[in-house]
Amino acid sequence: MVEPGPPGSSGGDSHDGKTRGIKGYFRKRHVYVMGSTMLLFSTVYVWYTSNGTESKVAYITRLMYTKPQILKPSRSDVLTMTPWFAPIVWEGTYNSEILNEQFQRRNVTVGLTMFAIKKYVVFLKKFLETAEMYFMVGHRVNYYIFTDRPEEVPKVALKEGRNVVVLQVQNYPRWQEISMRRMELISNFSQQRFINEVSYLVCVDVDMRFNDQVGVEILSNLFGTLHPGFYAAERQSFTYERRPASQAYVPSDEGDFYYAGGFFGGTVMEVYMLTKKCHEAMMVDKANGIEAIWHDESHLNKYFVYYKPTKILSPEYLWDDNMGRPEILKKRRFLALPKNHAAIRNK
Ligand code: UDP
Ligand code: MN
């Protein structure tokens, strides 16, 4: 890998290419500076024959960055690992250059699903423009936009390797139902389409803007995001569904965290299983004449109690400035936009 130097790389040959009549191995060293914390070296070993011809025989790649320190944890002010050994992603706990290099090797494509039904199409422009600046920069991305108003999807300039896919779907009169039906649509499209097009799905609310990097550090088999209103709360304060008649019921002495309905994901297979199960549970509730207190979010929370996420995103990944700016929050990567509920919902 890494044969040609990337444009602007500070590389060059340390050898002038002449053999001075000697036959044997010579090294040509290329140095690519990848960022502030990592160097990627690619050394080419060249065999020079006595008649002056040369043939490349080997590439050695070296990754150089500051070594992790077992006795110096990167964050000591927040939990960075769950009791089931899922990492909790906070600024300072990872090196994005190492991660980017690893995911680029696998040529991963990420699907970002969003719903813009009825009036919510107004959020698409800022959402997409900021996603182009901050979401999975340098990786392949498909934006899957579910909407009932395809003609109102704005044209936004996209960088190479990034595509918009508009998926026309029906609307529902109640905003709660629009929110809940996302589970049904994501599960159907995962099985029919996403499985053939992307490795991972990231499923988010659309009334949001990106404000800082959201990259491959979030990717894992199954991930959820700590809700900005409850990351420091006790179990009893979590707004899980507490009525045993609902399929989303979580008893008061169970559960780990309160997760946000507006940001979850994983491999297509894991997201398919999650969304299918949540949709089926909502259909049972509907037949029984009950709707969970926080709709799809309640069902997501129930699912995560029993199918633990393999990675958890800190509230950096779904912040709301109404919650202030606590000291532990080093970045605000994805921000809820203020919205006038009366003007935007059920319109
Ligand atoms: N949504 C939509 N049209 C609607 C209502 C909701 O497209 O009329 C989608 C949209 O993607 C939105 C998500 O459902 O981000 C969740 O609803 P909302 O953001 O209003 O919920 P909140 O974040 O306020 O709990
Ligand atoms: Mn929202």
Side-chain angles (χ1 to χ4, degrees):
M1 60 156 294
V2 222
E3 287 175 54
S9 66
S10 64
D13 288 352
S14 57
H15 183 264
D16 63 8
K18 294 197 185 87
T19 62
R20 297 187 182 85
I22 305 160
K23 115 181 155 167
Y25 283 105
F26 287 86
R27 291 191 313 166
K28 289 185 172 186
R29 193 163 75 165
H30 305 265
V31 181
Y32 307 135
V33 177
M34 300 292 284
S36 52
T37 55
M38 186 174 89
L39 282 174
L40 183 66
F41 281 76
S42 159
T43 305
V44 186
Y45 289 84
V46 180
W47 174 252
Y48 292 93
T49 57
S50 51
N51 65 13
T53 59
E54 58 177 82
S55 57
K56 292 175 184 171
V57 292
Y59 288 98
I60 306 288
T61 298
R62 312 213 307 123
L63 288 172
M64 299 175 72
Y65 47 82
T66 312
K67 168 191 162 299
Q69 300 285 337
I70 287 291
L71 301 181
K72 289 190 190 135
S74 49
R75 292 284 295 256
S76 52
D77 54 341
V78 285
L79 189 69
T80 59
M81 188 70 85
T82 69
W84 60 95
F85 276 138
I88 307 177
V89 186
W90 298 90
E91 173 65 7
T93 58
Y94 63 92
N95 181 331
S96 55
E97 283 145 5
I98 304 175
L99 285 163
N100 280 331
E101 203 274 336
Q102 296 290 296
F103 277 83
Q104 246 135 24
R105 255 172 225 249
R106 293 164 50 196
N107 199 24
V108 160
T109 303
V110 179
L112 182 62
T113 69
M114 75 212 72
F115 289 73
I117 309 288
K118 299 197 280 192
K119 240 333 191 3
Y120 280 61
V121 289
V122 300
F123 293 112
L124 283 172
K125 189 164 188 287
K126 165 122 328 135
F127 184 103
L128 292 169
E129 283 171 358
T130 57
E132 279 298 289
M133 293 164 68
Y134 297 118
F135 182 74
M136 299 289 162
V137 173
H139 299 276
R140 305 177 55 79
V141 172
N142 285 358
Y143 296 104
Y144 294 113
I145 304 178
F146 292 86
T147 185
D148 58 334
R149 300 179 182 180
E151 66 288 347
E152 289 181 43
V153 174
K155 295 272 176 294
V156 170
L158 303 176
K159 298 204 185 77
E160 203 193 325
R162 306 170 75 98
N163 306 293
V164 162
V165 179
V166 178
L167 303 168
Q168 187 166 5
V169 294
Q170 72 170 98
N171 62 36
Y172 291 92
R174 297 171 57 244
W175 67 268
Q176 297 89 335
E177 179 132 41
I178 292 173
S179 185
M180 291 194 295
R181 289 285 175 174
R182 293 185 290 178
M183 294 293 189
E184 177 181 32
L185 287 160
I186 293 169
S187 81
N188 288 346
F189 276 82
S190 292
Q191 199 179 29
Q192 291 159 17
R193 175 162 193 164
F194 302 152
I195 193 76
N196 303 315
E197 299 183 357
V198 297
S199 309
Y200 293 95
L201 285 171
V202 179
C203 307
V204 294
D205 266 17
V206 77
D207 54 339
M208 305 287 300
R209 72 178 166 91
F210 290 89
N211 182 60
D212 212 322
Q213 300 295 334
V214 174
V216 294
E217 74 279 1
I218 71 170
L219 300 177
S220 189
N221 279 354
L222 180 65
F223 62 87
T225 304
L226 301 180
H227 191 294
F230 299 93
Y231 64 87
E234 289 305 315
R235 215 177 235 166
Q236 299 84 315
S237 333
F238 292 162
T239 54
Y240 292 148
E241 174 55 63
R242 299 301 191 186
R243 293 168 295 173
S246 168
Q247 299 297 306
Y249 170 61
V250 178
S252 60
D253 52 358
E254 290 185 54
D256 310 288
F257 306 111
Y258 190 77
Y259 301 93
F263 198 149
F264 65 89
T267 59
V268 179
M269 189 50 81
E270 287 290 339
V271 170
Y272 168 71
M273 293 194 290
L274 177 154
T275 51
K276 184 166 182 283
K277 200 155 182 93
C278 288
H279 171 61
E280 286 169 357
M282 289 187 285
M283 290 298 102
V284 173
D285 273 8
K286 196 180 170 78
N288 292 333
I290 191 167
E291 188 172 275
I293 178 169
W294 290 108
H295 324 110
D296 43 304
E297 184 172 88
S298 304
H299 290 274
L300 178 76
N301 271 281
K302 165 77 180 274
Y303 188 88
F304 280 154
V305 174
Y306 302 107
Y307 302 86
K308 304 287 192 208
T310 56
K311 196 178 264 189
I312 293 178
L313 310 184
S314 71
E316 295 168 11
Y317 290 87
L318 204 167
W319 191 249
D320 185 329
D321 280 337
N322 291 324
M323 310 289 169
R325 304 268 188 102
E327 181 63 28
I328 52 145
L329 201 76
K330 307 299 179 198
K331 295 213 161 174
R332 294 172 306 138
R333 303 171 190 275
F334 191 45
L335 290 173
L337 292 173
K339 65 180 184 293
N340 179 342
H341 286 185
I344 204 107
R345 278 190 173 150
N346 303 327
K347 300 287 178 213

